[in-house]
């Protein structure tokens, strides 16, 4: 098995007792072709940890996130999310305690941002007005303010910018006060100012919710908030490395993950990565 970073004595000692996510020897196969999608995945996410999930297209990131979101079951191994093991729990109830944000979410364009956030209380696409009392409505306003978009309360979702939509969807996911927030490429198609606004909002979110755990799927290190302290690299369905970002997001490990030479820099908690030739090649 490939070398893995971040296997600390603490990890071995606690056995994941306080884990938000606990995966052991998890495998996923496609039944129709017997293709291996994920193989022998071990992973622990604890309260308050913020993880980046990275890998090339086809590495298995989406499948892994679906397991964490209780949207599918593993073929082999065990998956425990928020103390409940998949296969032994009503996943419909479990999903209500997990925040899941993706740009592919279906949201009616004519709904105002406040109404979109309200639907997170009922987990529905359309609002169920009788289920929203004054306390619930006020909570939706507070979440919009927490994400820095309170002025959008009455603006139709369809005319919000991409960055504004992302923050509205995160506010919606937080209506259930989840212990785990899954962010599936939340920066997709955002311009630079919108990206930076969202990074800042996520950083503030981490400061205000010290027990909230997050997992962010991204293709770009530049999209990682300074709050992201852990990373997991997937290559061809297997864990290449996992652990603290300083140990995982290295030139050698990213080069091995993506199959081409990757240079890495970090400044003031932010990351940058670019493809370049190995240093020795410049001496020719």
């Amino acid at each position: 098995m490939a070398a893995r970073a971040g296997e600390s004595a603490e990890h071995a000692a606690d056995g994941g007792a306080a884990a938000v996510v606990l995966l052991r020897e998890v495998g996923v196969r496609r039944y129709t072709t017997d293709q291996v999608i994920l193989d022998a995945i071990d992973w622990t996410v604890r309260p308050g940890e913020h993880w980046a999930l990275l890998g090339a297209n086809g590495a298995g990131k989406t499948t892994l996130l679906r397991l964490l979101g209780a949207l599918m079951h593993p073929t082999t191994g065990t998956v425990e999310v928020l103390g409940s093991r998949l296969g032994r729990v009503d996943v419909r109830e479990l999903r209500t305690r997990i925040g899941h944000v993706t740009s592919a979410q279906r949201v009616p364009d004519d709904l105002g941002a406040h109404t979109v956030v309200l639907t997170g209380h009922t987990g529905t696409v359309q609002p169920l007005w009788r289920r929203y009392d004054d306390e619930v409505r006020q909570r939706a306003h507070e979440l919009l303010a927490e994400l820095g978009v309170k002025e959008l309360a009455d603006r139709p979702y369809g005319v919000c910018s991409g960055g504004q939509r992302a923050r509205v969807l995160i506010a919606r996911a937080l209506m259930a006060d989840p212990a785990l927030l899954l962010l599936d490429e939340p920066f997709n198609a955002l311009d630079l100012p919108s990206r930076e606004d969202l990074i800042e909002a996520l950083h503030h979110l981490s400061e205000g919710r010290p027990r909230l755990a997050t997992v962010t799927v991204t293709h770009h290190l530049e999209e990682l908030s300074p709050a992201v302290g852990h990373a997991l690299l997937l290559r061809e369905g297997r864990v290449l490395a996992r652990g603290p970002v300083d140990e995982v997001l290295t030139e050698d490990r990213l080069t091995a993950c993506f199959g081409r030479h990757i240079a890495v820099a970090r400044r003031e908690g932010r990351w940058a990565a670019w493809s370049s030739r190995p240093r020795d090649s410049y001496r020719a």
Side-chain angles (χ1 to χ4, degrees):
M1 184 173 294
R4 296 173 179 177
E7 291 301 297
S8 65
E10 176 189 0
H11 177 93
D14 70 10
V20 173
V21 170
L22 183 62
L23 277 61
R24 289 293 178 263
E25 289 295 313
V26 168
V28 173
R29 289 179 177 268
R30 182 170 288 127
Y31 289 108
T32 54
T33 62
D34 203 36
Q35 177 187 0
V36 176
I37 309 300
L38 295 174
D39 186 26
I41 304 293
D42 292 328
W43 189 16
T44 302
V45 177
R46 298 179 181 82
E49 290 184 344
H50 302 286
W51 284 77
L53 177 56
L54 299 111
N57 290 335
K61 301 186 300 297
T62 297
T63 299
L64 186 51
L65 208 68
R66 285 176 59 81
L67 289 172
L68 270 55
L71 297 173
M72 64 181 294
H73 290 74
T75 307
T76 58
T78 60
V79 175
E80 294 185 13
V81 181
L82 303 180
S84 299
R85 181 173 296 187
L86 299 190
R88 299 182 182 179
V89 64
D90 183 343
V91 294
R92 295 169 298 182
E93 187 279 331
L94 178 57
R95 288 170 192 156
T96 65
R97 297 186 283 132
I98 302 169
H100 201 157
V101 177
T102 171
S103 58
Q105 281 177 272
R106 292 171 48 231
V107 178
D109 285 345
D110 60 334
L111 294 184
H114 181 258
T115 302
V116 172
V117 177
L118 282 177
T119 62
H121 179 73
T122 46
T124 55
V125 176
Q126 294 290 345
L128 302 180
W129 294 110
R130 295 183 180 180
R131 301 276 296 276
Y132 309 140
D133 58 20
D134 289 343
E135 182 178 351
V136 171
R137 291 169 186 263
Q138 180 58 32
R139 175 167 170 74
H141 280 297
E142 291 170 355
L143 286 170
L144 285 172
E146 186 176 1
L147 271 298
V149 286
K150 64 180 181 180
E151 74 280 1
L152 303 180
D154 298 322
R155 184 177 302 181
Y157 180 81
V159 300
C160 292
S161 70
Q164 291 168 340
R165 292 186 187 192
R167 284 184 280 169
V168 169
L169 290 179
I170 293 171
R172 179 184 185 275
L174 292 173
M175 277 297 287
D177 196 22
L180 174 63
L181 180 62
L182 306 176
L183 302 168
D184 189 2
E185 299 190 42
F187 301 93
N188 187 33
L190 298 189
D191 60 18
L192 180 60
S194 296
R195 184 192 76 181
E196 293 302 304
D197 286 343
L198 181 53
I199 290 170
E200 184 177 352
L202 289 173
H203 188 59
H204 288 326
L205 189 67
S206 69
E207 293 179 325
R209 296 171 179 264
R211 298 287 293 174
L212 177 66
T214 67
V215 176
T216 302
V217 173
T218 180
H219 288 287
H220 306 289
L221 267 61
E222 291 79 3
E223 295 173 349
L224 298 182
S225 156
V228 175
H230 296 77
L232 184 147
L233 301 182
L234 275 181
R235 180 172 173 82
E236 298 179 351
R238 297 175 70 90
V239 175
L240 178 68
R242 64 165 182 262
V245 288
D246 289 333
E247 299 177 22
V248 174
L249 301 182
T250 65
E251 185 173 296
D252 289 345
R253 292 187 182 278
L254 288 169
T255 295
C257 182
F258 290 99
R260 65 182 301 164
H261 191 265
I262 303 293
V264 183
R266 192 180 192 191
R267 181 179 180 184
E268 297 180 357
R270 295 291 300 277
W271 293 88
W274 63 96
S275 181
S276 67
R277 292 181 292 174
R279 293 183 183 93
D280 289 346
S281 69
Y282 288 100
R283 299 174 184 171

